[in-house]
Amino acid sequence: MLVWVVLISVVVMLVAAVAVLFLKDFLAVTAAASVVSLALSVLFVALQAPDVALAEAAVGAGVSSVIFALTLRRVGLWKLETKKDK
Amino acid sequence: MNFREISGLIFIVGLGLLLFALLKILFVEQLVTGGIGANILATAPEEVGTANIVTSVLLAYRGLDTLGELTILFVAATAAGLVLGQRSSDAKHDPDAGFILHSAADVLFPFLILLGAYIILHGHLTPGGGFQGGAILAAAFFIPILASPASPLNHRVSSAIEGFAGAAFILIGLFGLFGKGDFLAPLFGTGEVGNLFSAGSLPLLYLAVGLKVGAELAGLLAHLHETEAND
Amino acid sequence: MTEETTLVDFISYVGAISLILLGIFAMVTFRHLIRIIFGLMLLEAGVNLFLITIGYRGGAVAPILVNGELPTAAMVDPIPQALVLTAIVIGVGVQALALALVIKTYKAYGTLDTQILAQKIAEETGTKLIDGIPTPISDTGTGLEESLSTKP
């Protein structure tokens, strides 16, 4: 049972990590990085580290993705669609 | 595929072989901490009185490291604020968020504050603590800014909270130094393991850590958000 | 050590090392600054997983007392967990600082490609680009700069 949980979360994590490196759209890359953090926090729970899992889920998947998204907005890689443009 | 990518690939393959060769050594028990971990596990409940032993390592046995970690976070947040600089007063804001985010921000705010406070105050009993709860507090204060970008975070208040929390951490440490002879030594006795009021001064230390991390991350996010986009 | 524990250890070591390698690959190969910071993030995640896996013991439980009593089973090592907990928060601070620098770089030069950046910096400061690095050329140099720069 534990082996399957660990195996599935490692596979999800590695697929998302490859997606981080090779996707073209940077917003999708940010989402994939968030998936890496979430799979990692599942893995931490399976490895009996609930403190670290909470930190990874709150900080790695939450705050870190917001920081990346804000940066993409500031460097012009993510344009907001306003009513005027439509 | 240019020269740079090929050489990078060769380097990675070599490093990978080296690290996988290390795997054989890694299956030796207690490689890193050499038995310190076992000693801490055996003595921490009586010495420090926390139910969550990670907390006792973080705040009692390695409290000085946590202080250093807070210093690093403070320096990083300050430097990021310094690099990003002040926004010019006539710069245009992002457009307001839609109805869903607006209502969700109003509804979520009290619950996120409650969750963050719970996680911080129960850090010595259950998984969680100052770092995790601080991140949730920062999210609670950042979501309203995301919903209506024209209403800024009060940086003066967040810096005041941050400075106060950092000073409180060091003050509790100094009380330990003069009262018990060690910097950050736990005060007030251990209490009964598992109660909310136990583990001496550790919940106070974790509260300081939580407020500091929360104020720092919220200030950092607000700084990034206030920088003008030029599109 | 049972069969299952060995397998769990092995799988998560493989995951950690693969993440570290992917991160280093991204940092070495890619030219886009934001991609490089994503590589740094993956590298950090891999190192954190590596440390947690080192502290893991088969059949052990999390280092938390239930009802104030030590559990009968063994507990995992708490020290790597405490280390990783602080490392995660520091990681976010470092990322935020790096991204702030990226925003400033974009505002100053209008690009995030490291090679174009190096060219622009070289033009601006009047230095020569040697192996992708802006290098000042001194009149009374040792001759090393000239021999490097005149290489075909």
Side-chain angles (χ1 to χ4, degrees):
Chain A
M1 176 58 198
L2 184 65
V3 176
W4 288 108
V5 173
V6 171
L7 186 65
I8 290 172
S9 46
V10 164
V11 168
V12 169
M13 185 179 78
L14 288 182
V15 169
V18 172
V20 165
L21 299 193
F22 296 110
L23 280 181
K24 287 276 178 274
D25 181 10
F26 273 93
L27 207 55
V29 168
T30 308
S34 180
V35 171
V36 172
S37 279
L38 275 182
L40 201 58
S41 76
V42 172
L43 204 54
F44 284 150
V45 173
L47 294 177
Q48 302 293 338
D51 284 279
V52 186
L54 246 170
E56 182 73 38
V59 176
V63 177
S64 170
S65 311
V66 174
I67 289 176
F68 270 115
L70 286 175
T71 309
L72 293 184
R73 176 93 185 81
R74 298 299 165 245
V75 300
L77 289 168
W78 172 30
K79 304 260 193 237
L80 284 185
E81 213 177 87
T82 47
K83 278 177 189 155
K84 252 181 284 170
D85 301 338
K86 273 183 206 162
Chain B
M1 211 149 180
N2 54 15
F3 176 70
R4 183 178 168 141
E5 284 176 11
I6 294 169
S7 54
L9 262 181
I10 293 171
F11 170 67
I12 291 308
V13 169
L15 191 67
L17 288 177
L18 193 70
L19 286 177
F20 278 110
L22 279 179
L23 271 185
K24 210 168 150 54
I25 309 170
L26 284 173
F27 283 99
V28 181
E29 291 249 335
Q30 303 199 336
L31 177 86
V32 178
T33 53
I36 303 172
N39 282 336
I40 285 179
L41 283 174
T43 57
E46 291 151 33
E47 265 185 6
V48 188
T50 56
N52 184 352
I53 294 174
V54 177
T55 301
S56 70
V57 176
L58 261 178
L59 293 178
Y61 293 103
R62 307 299 320 154
L64 203 60
D65 290 354
T66 305
L67 184 59
E69 192 270 345
L70 287 177
T71 315
I72 293 177
L73 192 63
F74 170 70
V75 170
T78 314
L82 202 66
V83 167
L84 289 172
Q86 292 266 319
R87 69 175 284 129
S88 50
S89 51
D90 55 342
K92 74 177 168 65
H93 291 281
D94 278 350
D96 249 24
F99 169 74
I100 295 176
L101 187 53
H102 256 296
S103 338
D106 292 344
V107 173
L108 276 178
F109 182 74
F111 289 108
L112 280 176
I113 295 281
L114 188 68
L115 181 66
Y118 178 87
I119 286 181
I120 291 175
L121 290 177
H122 288 244
H124 57 299
L125 302 177
T126 53
F131 295 109
Q132 297 92 333
I136 291 173
L137 284 186
F141 282 101
F142 183 64
I143 287 178
I145 302 177
L146 212 56
S148 51
S151 65
L153 182 84
N154 193 339
H155 279 289
R156 217 167 263 236
V157 173
S158 80
S159 328
I161 291 175
E162 191 186 319
F164 173 75
F169 193 95
I170 294 175
L171 266 184
I172 295 172
L174 285 180
F175 278 130
L177 180 64
F178 290 119
K180 291 252 185 107
D182 284 319
F183 189 64
L184 282 171
L187 304 166
F188 315 138
T190 57
E192 196 176 328
V193 177
N195 283 358
L196 181 57
F197 294 102
S198 65
S201 58
L202 260 63
L204 290 177
L205 283 177
Y206 237 170
L207 185 61
V209 170
L211 286 180
K212 191 164 167 60
V213 170
E216 237 146 45
L217 288 180
L220 195 65
L221 287 172
H223 258 304
L224 273 170
H225 189 260
E226 279 163 16
T227 319
E228 311 89 275
N230 38 357
D231 55 354
Chain C
M1 197 179 271
T2 60
E3 189 79 7
E4 194 189 32
T5 313
T6 321
L7 208 55
V8 167
D9 262 5
F10 181 73
I11 293 171
S12 50
Y13 275 131
V14 168
I17 291 177
S18 313
L19 267 191
I20 292 174
L21 294 181
L22 279 175
I24 294 179
F25 177 73
M27 289 178 75
V28 170
T29 314
F30 291 144
R31 286 167 40 180
H32 198 286
L33 277 178
I34 290 188
R35 261 314 165 193
I36 292 176
I37 294 172
F38 272 115
L40 182 68
M41 205 204 85
L42 291 184
L43 178 59
E44 258 171 33
V47 171
N48 290 344
L49 180 55
F50 197 84
L51 284 174
I52 289 291
T53 315
I54 286 177
Y56 177 69
R57 305 272 173 277
V61 297
I64 291 167
L65 308 190
V66 182
N67 300 325
E69 289 162 11
L70 281 168
T72 46
M75 290 192 276
V76 297
D77 200 339
I79 295 176
Q81 297 196 10
L83 284 177
V84 169
L85 198 58
T86 53
I88 288 174
V89 181
I90 289 178
V92 168
V94 170
Q95 259 171 46
L97 180 56
L99 289 172
L101 290 173
V102 164
I103 291 177
K104 270 295 172 198
T105 311
Y106 182 77
K107 283 202 173 139
Y109 293 100
T111 178
L112 289 176
D113 189 308
T114 46
Q115 292 193 355
I116 301 174
L117 263 177
Q119 271 173 12
K120 285 195 172 181
I121 292 172
E123 277 169 24
E124 194 178 73
T125 53
T127 49
K128 220 174 185 132
L129 209 60
I130 299 171
D131 292 335
I133 302 162
T135 312
I137 304 156
S138 57
D139 296 334
T140 58
T142 53
L144 185 68
E145 289 93 345
E146 276 90 340
S147 70
L148 275 173
S149 57
T150 51
K151 215 165 55 176

